[in-house]
Amino acid sequence: MPHPMSFVVDHIVPLNRGGTDTLDNTQPAHWRCNRQKSDSADGGPILRRSGSLKRKT
């Protein structure tokens, strides 16, 4: 099991919801946040609340 705060690649739109495995559909996420997000397409309250991982616009 990885450390909960280690970084993993997160798919913004999950693959099983039609997302692609391309660079523009990925972002860094903490392992724990990514597990809590699961297959939510909007990031859910966990990623929005933390604000520690913001995507460049």
Side-chain angles (χ1 to χ4, degrees):
M1 178 187 229
H3 187 279
M5 298 307 282
S6 63
F7 284 101
V8 295
V9 175
D10 172 47
H11 290 91
I12 299 165
V13 177
L15 298 175
N16 67 356
R17 291 188 178 223
T20 59
D21 198 17
T22 57
L23 191 57
D24 63 329
N25 188 44
T26 59
Q27 64 185 351
H30 294 122
W31 182 85
R32 179 180 8 190
C33 295
N34 194 31
R35 296 291 296 168
Q36 290 175 331
K37 175 187 169 203
S38 187
D39 291 337
S40 174
D42 72 348
I46 303 301
L47 291 180
R48 285 196 310 261
R49 181 178 61 231
S50 74
S52 65
L53 300 173
K54 295 195 185 251
R55 186 167 176 80
K56 287 184 175 181
T57 56

